[in-house]
Amino acid sequence: MREKLFKICNNVYSVLMTISFFGGVLPLVPFLIALCIGGGAGGTGEAIATFLHNDYYPWVIMAGSVAIVFGLIAMYIGKLEGLSIKKVSVDSDEEQNDH
């Protein structure tokens, strides 16, 4: 049960983090368009940039925050240690048996 819950949380974390990453990169083009259009106060460029800042990015940030929560839960359930001073071996099982 614990392993299944770990996989579910880890998958949700992966999907939400991917969405957050691309959701953060995606508005680059509209911001560049807004910069090129310009228009001063109350212009089209300002409207595009304001929309992205006030209405779009809060959802992306919220998705990233929820992703982090699922990632932390997955680490706790899977007994993973993100920051540890313990030595971790990266050798494969075959190489460890040879030594």
Side-chain angles (χ1 to χ4, degrees), residues 10-66:
N10 208 19
N11 287 339
V12 171
Y13 166 75
S14 299
V15 169
L16 286 177
M17 254 338 214
T18 303
I19 289 170
S20 297
F21 174 75
F22 287 111
V25 173
L26 186 66
L28 176 64
V29 173
F31 266 124
L32 290 175
I33 292 171
L35 186 65
C36 291
I37 291 174
T44 306
E46 181 186 9
I48 293 171
T50 303
F51 165 76
L52 291 172
H53 181 266
N54 293 337
D55 297 329
Y56 178 78
Y57 272 123
W59 287 100
V60 173
I61 292 169
M62 192 180 331
S65 299
V66 171

Side-chain angles (χ1 to χ4, degrees), residues 1-10 73-74 77:
M1 176 66 180
R2 186 181 195 122
E3 189 173 311
K4 187 175 182 178
L5 191 57
F6 169 75
K7 287 182 180 180
I8 290 170
C9 287
N10 208 19
I73 291 171
I77 291 171

Side-chain angles (χ1 to χ4, degrees), residues 69-87:
V69 169
F70 273 99
L72 290 173
I73 291 171
M75 285 179 67
Y76 176 75
I77 291 171
K79 297 181 180 178
L80 301 173
E81 296 182 25
L83 300 172
S84 177
I85 59 172
K86 295 178 183 177
K87 182 178 178 183

